[in-house]
Amino acid sequence: MNQRVHYLGRHNPEITLGQKIWQLNWGMMLLICLIAAIGLGMLYSAANGNFDPWASKQAIRFGVGFVVMLVVALVDIRIWFRFSYLFYIGALLLLVGVEVMGSIGMGAQRWIDLKFIQLQPSELMKVAIIFALARYFHGVSQEDIGRVTFLFIPLVMVLAPSVLVLRQPDLGTTGMLVMASGAVFFCAGVRLWKFAVVLAAGLAAIPIGWQFLHSYQKNRVLIFLNPEQDPLGTGYHIHQSKIAFGSGGVFGKGFLQGSQSHLNFLPEKQTDFIFTMLAEEFGMVGGLVLLGLYILLMVYGLAISLRSRNQFGRLLAIGLTFNLFLYVFINIAMIMGLVPVVGVPLPLISYGGTVMLTVMMGLGLVMSVWLHRDIKISRHGVHDE
Amino acid sequence: MPMVHEDQDRHKGFTRRVLMLTCGKAALLSALVARMYYLQVVEAEKYKTLAEDNRVNLRLLPPRRGKILDRFGQELANNQQNFRVVVVREQTPDLVATLDALSKLIKLSEHDYKRILRDVKRKRAFVPVTVKDNLSWNQVSSIEVNSADLPGASIEVGETRFYPYGADFSHILGYVAAVSEKELTGDPLLELPGFRIGKSGVEKYHDNDMRGQAGTSEFEVNAYGRVIRELARNEGGSGREMILTVDAGLQTFVQQRLMSEQSAASVVIDIKTGDVLAMGSVPSYDPSAFNLGLSSKQWNKLINNQFTPLTNKAIAGTYAPGSTFKMIVALAAMKEGIGATSHTAFCPGFMKLGNARFHCWKRGGHGHVNMIEGLQHSCDVYFYDVSRRIGVDKIAEMANKLGLGNRVNIDLPGERSGVIPTKAWKLANIGEPWQGGETLITSIGQGFVLTTPLQLAVMVSRIASGGKKVIPRITRGYRENGKAIAYEQKEFEDLGIPQEHMRMIYQGMDAVSNNPRGTAYKYRIREEGWELAGKTGTAQVRRITLAERQAGIFKNEDLPWRRRDHGLFVAYAPVDNPRYACAVVVEHGGGSKSAAPIARDILRETQRRDPARTSAISFDAKVDVNNASGDS
């Protein structure tokens, strides 16, 4: 093996592109393709057995996303390490951008129209924040993590985008940003009592935060707490979703046979409520199969993070895996009435461009961690030995 | 510190934390699976039902209302196709333009426009909204021809009740109209838009029979209520066809004949069967007007008409029977042993009772009269005399026996009972003891006595049948699934009146019409074999004051309509072998001379047509009327 000294660290084994491709995690890619195929099938069904308007577009996006994933996976992790703050700052600027565009009178927006895709900076931020935190905690020694002063910078890194996203207002994404960041903090070794303090402070802040919620958001929370109070109004979505879900039974009504979905009782069936449709048409069996595939994917992410020999890679992989978990859990819990309807899509399945792109990017990064698992990166980003 | 060691430490800590995190994740995912199990296994049946409820809409199909036929099968009420033009909002690019184009073909008022636009706004885009109902055939064809210029407009066919005889039958048949709030019983059929129920007459009495069973149609609908497809259909059953006792031809004649007066009623009964062959009440109204919807102006006109066109006077008008009541008094007297020919009374033109004078209608008096002469001349004093001897309660007993004072329970709604006073009745209802003079007043059918024309016809039927308890009816049976079912009739029981008493009454009534000195000789039937026997009656609606009597002003023609006497005539025919009984009441007709010619013409026409002996609808089976009728 050609032992060249890399500027980020010595004694790192250099691998060629060919070897990388050979070592790509094919099992993981198969899982991703399986999940995406299920998604395309459900979008086909959502359009009453048509590829248009959703399945065909989504297939193209998946193709593009797949290429992006591969490219991201093959890029050396040290380059990602170098650009992680830049990436974070870029995403933050885009967030500020939509905020400013909203306030100068173009109407409240969550996306930037790039013609071929409506880019949602908040979705990008879900990846960028993990990047930034992973890089930060990579450079902090175990003793330093114990010190409160070292937590100040990463807290600001989390709070800045969170506040911006909350102002959009997007409760679901804010929650995901905070929780995924929390997971990185947790795995980086931040003391447990500090989480307790933050949690207590957060609970205390709920009555204050309630004031800042929009009326429709308050409604959603109230409906969640008491769904029967308004079965035809705001509670209609979740009520119909539960009917569709429950009526699927163990084996479901069959592909293209979901009466709730096809007769339009089920709202947003191509986006947030697509899992409901799957559960109606394929029953509990279908739901468990998809859930199983997701769990397998997460197990891959977990294994990769444990296998990595650098803290950056470990935190990156675990953070992104946790992100995936949050998507899946919040979405499915939401459509089953376990948590309020907050607008979190099901990754790789729900119709939507940005989410597909960021999820594929995240998976690509996890693969990159895998491919570069044996590369060591020094704490300060430069070789010091 | 070497980097390798430091990283190993970090890795250890990391692994521990990751394990903790993974446990948390596993717990949350287990919660998801538990929830899935709860929804899709434990609660699955409940949600399956809810999903079916969402998907399937049950719609009632209104059944076809049963027709009404006369005794010979003539249709008196049927259902006619009714064309209406509807618009569907989502099928027209410009609703107002379509309406404008329509209004060139059919007249649409400002009011129509408002209503249509309001309905369209309320309903979903694919629901048809009625633009105009009851289109003529010409209007339908002109809309069809111009359909290219009328996007969104189309013709729909429905059914409406139609009455071929119009106003001639409205009091018997009644009418149908939209269900009112009060009439809702929870039966979903009644809540169908456009559903009609019977509001009076046969339509009301046999409403349940004629209504039929509603069909159902199961539709699959989407979340917006649009029908995707029909899943199942059950046509239901049409209602029963009611077969009446009435002869449509005779009914038309009676109604037309009564129209020579402003307000009158008449009933013709077959005394052998109790079949009501005709039942007239004038003025009448157009029954289809109610079906199409009355304007408040039309309604007020009907309500405020002093001749009460909405009341079926034959069963709901109560009148003092006047001298037609004298047969009752005569029969009661004979029962108490007063001989028809042996007992006479002297009539000087009045009778004194205490200080009061009770006048005979004839100023000079009739001299000595017996019962038959008393009937023939309608001598009031004779009946004063006998009634004083037997008392009011004996008279009331006989009156009740012959069908007065109580409802005769004909199968029509709204029948009234009238009044036959007794001593106890007065004490109970007025709170005063009976006065002797009131017995005299009662004996000439005045005072408290009130009867309906139907009761008078029943009275004559019971007399003419030789004392049988004739019970009138207006429905013979019904036809269902092609089978005609008769309402079973029991033989009329005998009232126990001796035939020699009856013969006295026959003689008296015969003399009224066929003796040159009888009160109705002028109005006899001349055709041999068709002669009638009758009794005149004049009912005062006010007391003739002494001053008027002395001034000689009691000519009815000089008085306003409301204060004129009622004219009555009861009769049976033919005199030798009675078959038909008839009663005529002319409200404020000024005396019996208004009623007698009408009764004569009706009985002549009845015998000419002879409906009782003409073959009518024959029946396949019999059924007890009490078990057959829907709301008796």
Side-chain angles (χ1 to χ4, degrees):
Chain A
M1 200 179 279
N2 179 18
Q3 289 256 331
R4 270 196 297 133
V5 176
H6 195 273
Y7 75 102
L8 278 175
R10 285 193 306 193
H11 314 299
N12 278 330
E14 284 304 310
I15 40 176
T16 62
L17 189 64
Q19 286 171 314
K20 281 184 186 176
I21 292 173
W22 179 247
Q23 287 192 17
L24 268 176
N25 201 324
W26 293 103
M28 198 169 158
M29 280 200 276
L30 183 69
L31 271 178
I32 291 167
C33 289
L34 268 176
I35 294 172
I38 290 174
L40 292 180
M42 290 329 292
L43 287 176
Y44 175 80
S45 177
N48 293 330
N50 285 308
F51 286 106
D52 288 317
W54 298 310
S56 53
K57 266 194 189 168
Q58 187 78 348
I60 294 168
R61 284 171 182 166
F62 177 70
V64 172
F66 202 81
V67 172
V68 168
M69 177 184 80
L70 286 180
V71 170
V72 168
L74 295 173
V75 171
D76 195 303
I77 193 146
R78 285 161 293 196
I79 295 179
W80 291 125
F81 182 83
R82 234 178 107 191
F83 286 109
S84 41
Y85 283 143
L86 203 65
F87 189 47
Y88 170 80
I89 289 166
L92 196 63
L93 286 177
L94 283 175
L95 265 182
V96 174
V98 284
E99 173 71 18
V100 169
M101 266 162 49
S103 60
I104 59 170
M106 293 173 73
Q109 284 194 147
R110 292 180 182 184
W111 60 82
I112 297 168
D113 198 350
L114 297 179
K115 297 306 165 197
F116 71 96
I117 191 170
Q118 290 186 325
L119 192 72
Q120 278 179 267
S122 58
E123 283 297 324
L124 284 180
M125 185 49 88
K126 284 177 189 168
V127 176
I129 186 76
I130 290 166
F131 248 133
L133 289 174
R135 162 114 199 220
Y136 179 82
F137 284 116
H138 177 87
V140 178
S141 73
Q142 279 220 283
E143 300 88 73
D144 291 343
I145 282 177
R147 294 190 193 121
V148 181
T149 45
F150 279 84
L151 293 179
F152 183 70
I153 293 172
L155 275 177
V156 170
M157 286 200 292
V158 176
L159 283 178
S162 297
V163 169
L164 284 171
V165 174
L166 192 60
R167 278 178 58 90
Q168 283 187 349
D170 187 343
L171 214 55
T173 305
T174 310
M176 277 186 69
L177 282 177
V178 171
M179 282 188 279
S181 306
V184 177
F185 274 68
F186 183 78
C187 293
V190 176
R191 296 279 177 274
L192 285 176
W193 67 265
K194 286 175 187 149
F195 284 95
V197 168
V198 171
L199 203 67
L203 284 175
I206 284 177
I208 302 160
W210 181 255
Q211 314 282 328
F212 291 98
L213 288 185
H214 280 241
S215 61
Y216 83 91
Q217 290 173 318
K218 287 184 187 172
N219 246 342
R220 279 180 177 178
V221 177
L222 289 175
I223 294 301
F224 164 69
L225 295 174
N226 185 12
E228 271 73 39
Q229 77 176 27
D230 186 18
L232 288 177
T234 321
Y236 178 82
H237 287 192
I238 195 64
H239 182 65
Q240 293 297 344
S241 174
K242 275 159 78 178
I243 291 176
F245 206 98
S247 65
V250 177
F251 297 106
K253 299 174 184 171
F255 189 52
L256 300 176
Q257 302 297 314
S259 65
Q260 285 284 100
S261 328
H262 291 288
L263 299 173
N264 286 325
F265 289 102
L266 187 65
E268 308 275 336
K269 56 179 182 277
Q270 79 280 16
T271 56
D272 291 358
F273 287 89
I274 197 161
F275 190 77
T276 308
M277 194 176 167
L278 176 94
E280 188 188 15
E281 297 196 342
F282 296 103
M284 190 168 168
V285 172
L288 286 178
V289 165
L290 183 61
L291 200 60
L293 293 176
Y294 278 123
I295 290 172
L296 275 180
L297 199 57
M298 287 181 234
V299 167
Y300 265 111
L302 199 69
I304 287 168
S305 79
L306 289 174
R307 176 68 184 75
S308 174
R309 297 184 68 179
N310 56 75
Q311 185 75 347
F312 175 70
R314 288 195 284 258
L315 289 174
L316 194 60
I318 204 72
L320 291 168
T321 307
F322 193 74
N323 221 352
L324 186 74
F325 165 80
L326 283 176
Y327 271 121
V328 172
F329 175 78
I330 295 177
N331 178 271
I332 297 179
M334 171 179 99
I335 55 125
M336 291 195 295
L338 283 176
V339 300
V341 177
V342 285
V344 172
L346 195 61
L348 299 172
I349 304 260
S350 285
Y351 179 78
T354 314
V355 179
M356 175 66 88
L357 202 67
T358 50
V359 167
M360 293 303 270
M361 251 169 72
L363 289 167
L365 283 168
V366 173
M367 285 186 186
S368 178
V369 173
W370 169 251
L371 291 179
H372 308 95
R373 57 193 176 277
D374 290 327
I375 287 175
K376 289 178 188 131
I377 306 170
S378 77
R379 195 137 55 81
H380 309 291
V382 289
H383 61 284
D384 54 355
E385 287 171 67
Chain B
M1 190 183 177
M3 177 186 157
V4 179
H5 286 172
E6 189 199 331
D7 195 63
Q8 274 172 352
D9 280 354
R10 284 221 298 205
H11 199 171
K12 256 165 118 187
F14 178 80
T15 308
R16 205 183 315 120
R17 284 292 171 94
V18 166
L19 275 174
M20 286 165 77
L21 192 66
T22 305
C23 287
K25 283 203 251 183
L28 288 173
L29 287 173
S30 310
L32 283 190
V33 174
R35 179 70 170 176
M36 276 167 87
Y37 178 80
Y38 176 73
L39 287 177
Q40 296 194 295
V41 178
V42 180
E43 296 267 81
E45 283 312 310
K46 171 184 148 191
Y47 287 119
K48 275 177 187 161
T49 312
L50 284 173
E52 277 306 280
D53 285 353
N54 263 348
R55 182 176 79 99
V56 177
N57 251 7
L58 196 67
R59 209 171 281 183
L60 280 181
L61 305 170
R64 175 170 290 179
R65 194 173 175 83
K67 293 176 188 172
I68 304 177
L69 310 176
D70 88 339
R71 62 188 296 119
F72 303 117
Q74 281 289 325
E75 289 184 3
L76 306 179
N78 57 26
N79 307 299
Q80 283 211 333
Q81 280 194 329
N82 158 27
F83 297 94
R84 57 180 181 267
V85 57
V86 297
V87 286
V88 179
R89 188 177 74 205
E90 66 172 12
Q91 289 170 5
T92 168
D94 183 353
L95 181 68
V96 176
T98 300
L99 290 179
D100 287 344
L102 265 176
S103 69
K104 283 175 195 148
L105 304 171
I106 52 174
K107 244 180 80 190
L108 290 180
S109 65
E110 196 74 16
H111 183 76
D112 289 330
Y113 264 91
K114 256 196 213 154
R115 177 188 55 79
I116 295 161
L117 293 175
R118 190 190 60 212
D119 285 359
V120 165
K121 216 186 258 172
R122 278 186 196 160
K123 291 175 177 166
R124 291 178 190 277
F126 52 85
V127 177
V129 167
T130 304
V131 174
K132 197 147 190 148
D133 221 335
N134 300 303
L135 297 178
S136 73
W137 186 242
N138 279 340
Q139 289 172 317
V140 170
S141 47
S142 70
I143 290 170
E144 293 287 5
V145 165
N146 292 297
S147 61
D149 304 328
L150 302 165
S154 58
I155 301 285
E156 280 191 356
V157 188
E159 277 196 339
T160 44
R161 202 67 161 163
F162 178 68
Y163 301 98
Y165 287 87
D168 286 346
F169 266 92
S170 52
H171 286 123
I172 296 176
L173 300 181
Y175 57 90
V176 294
V179 187
S180 74
E181 203 76 33
K182 278 188 293 185
E183 288 160 331
L184 293 175
T185 57
D187 183 350
L189 186 58
L190 296 181
E191 287 161 42
L192 277 184
F195 192 75
R196 300 278 191 270
I197 61 167
K199 297 281 183 166
S200 72
V202 173
E203 293 274 27
K204 180 178 182 180
Y205 194 87
H206 290 287
D207 189 54
N208 278 347
D209 293 329
M210 288 189 283
R211 209 182 273 172
Q213 269 83 49
T216 52
S217 172
E218 274 184 16
F219 287 100
E220 183 173 81
V221 294
N222 71 5
Y224 315 113
R226 182 197 293 277
V227 173
I228 305 297
R229 64 197 160 116
E230 192 172 49
L231 301 170
R233 195 180 177 88
N234 161 22
E235 284 297 346
S238 42
R240 290 175 176 169
E241 286 184 358
M242 301 311 299
I243 299 166
L244 302 192
T245 58
V246 180
D247 170 6
L250 184 62
Q251 171 70 18
T252 307
F253 177 85
V254 168
Q255 195 70 21
Q256 296 301 320
R257 181 65 187 84
L258 288 175
M259 269 158 67
S260 64
E261 301 294 334
Q262 284 169 309
S263 180
S266 171
V267 177
V268 182
I269 292 179
D270 175 353
I271 64 170
K272 291 268 192 303
T273 59
D275 285 359
V276 172
L277 298 170
M279 180 183 277
S281 180
V282 162
S284 189
Y285 61 91
D286 177 11
S288 21
F290 285 89
N291 196 7
L292 304 180
L294 280 179
S295 69
S296 58
K297 204 173 141 191
Q298 289 172 297
W299 174 247
N300 285 331
K301 219 176 137 190
L302 282 172
I303 280 291
N304 296 326
N305 189 329
Q306 64 167 335
F307 305 123
T308 61
L310 291 180
T311 308
N312 181 359
K313 296 184 186 95
I315 60 169
T318 55
Y319 309 93
S323 301
T324 60
F325 194 65
K326 284 173 181 166
M327 277 86 81
I328 306 267
V329 182
L331 282 168
M334 285 187 277
K335 196 182 175 208
E336 296 308 310
I338 294 171
T341 45
S342 56
H343 178 82
T344 59
F346 178 72
C347 169
F350 62 87
M351 180 185 220
K352 271 187 104 163
L353 189 74
N355 290 329
R357 269 187 168 208
F358 290 86
H359 289 273
C360 185
W361 65 272
K362 194 170 176 185
R363 262 187 130 179
H366 291 98
H368 286 280
V369 285
N370 65 13
M371 185 181 288
I372 295 163
E373 290 158 341
L375 287 171
Q376 178 188 335
H377 301 297
S378 202
C379 173
D380 292 340
V381 171
Y382 176 85
F383 289 94
Y384 293 154
D385 176 69
V386 296
S387 70
R388 203 164 50 87
R389 291 167 196 270
I390 61 174
V392 69
D393 288 354
K394 296 289 178 195
I395 297 173
E397 196 184 301
M398 185 56 69
N400 290 338
K401 221 178 215 184
L402 291 181
L404 307 184
N406 291 305
R407 289 194 188 89
V408 294
N409 287 327
I410 190 164
D411 40 358
L412 281 177
E415 192 203 340
R416 298 194 41 195
S417 62
V419 175
I420 295 297
T422 61
K423 287 175 179 169
W425 175 88
K426 194 188 172 194
L427 204 59
N429 287 277
I430 299 180
E432 285 169 20
W434 188 263
Q435 306 284 322
E438 286 166 344
T439 305
L440 307 195
I441 301 284
T442 302
S443 75
I444 59 162
Q446 295 276 166
F448 298 117
V449 189
L450 286 174
T451 58
T452 66
L454 175 67
Q455 285 173 331
L456 293 177
V458 168
M459 177 188 81
V460 180
S461 302
R462 290 183 181 181
I463 291 170
S465 62
K468 295 278 189 298
K469 193 182 175 185
V470 177
I471 295 167
R473 59 173 192 170
I474 203 144
T475 328
R476 296 178 67 213
Y478 58 87
R479 191 143 57 192
E480 192 173 35
N481 304 324
K483 271 182 101 176
I485 313 289
Y487 290 143
E488 195 176 3
Q489 258 192 322
K490 293 187 184 76
E491 190 127 334
F492 297 137
E493 57 186 278
D494 197 277
L495 293 167
I497 300 169
Q499 287 308 303
E500 59 266 32
H501 293 181
M502 280 299 182
R503 272 196 292 279
M504 295 302 136
I505 304 295
Y506 298 153
Q507 275 188 39
M509 290 177 74
D510 185 9
V512 168
S513 298
N514 300 317
N515 186 312
R517 295 177 57 204
T519 51
Y521 181 68
K522 203 173 151 191
Y523 306 114
R524 69 193 181 280
I525 293 179
R526 289 160 201 270
E527 284 87 344
E528 204 166 319
W530 285 7
E531 293 91 343
L532 65 82
K535 183 70 196 80
T536 53
T538 298
Q540 290 174 6
V541 291
R542 60 180 183 117
R543 188 176 275 276
I544 298 172
T545 62
L546 188 67
E548 281 176 331
R549 200 178 286 280
Q550 282 167 350
I553 312 173
F554 51 90
K555 266 202 168 166
N556 264 281
E557 289 79 0
D558 303 334
L559 294 166
W561 184 77
R562 277 235 154 262
R563 299 183 62 199
R564 287 181 209 162
D565 297 340
H566 294 317
L568 298 97
F569 197 77
V570 298
Y572 63 85
V575 71
D576 297 326
N577 182 20
R579 185 70 203 244
Y580 301 110
C582 172
V584 174
V585 175
V586 178
E587 264 192 351
H588 308 291
S592 61
K593 63 181 178 299
S594 59
I598 296 176
R600 174 202 59 200
D601 291 348
I602 289 174
L603 276 176
R604 190 198 280 138
E605 177 69 10
T606 306
Q607 292 178 88
R608 198 184 65 72
R609 297 183 61 87
D610 209 7
R613 294 188 188 85
T614 310
S615 68
I617 289 177
S618 58
F619 290 95
D620 306 315
K622 280 181 183 175
V623 65
D624 188 358
V625 65
N626 293 318
N627 298 332
S629 173
D631 41 11
S632 51

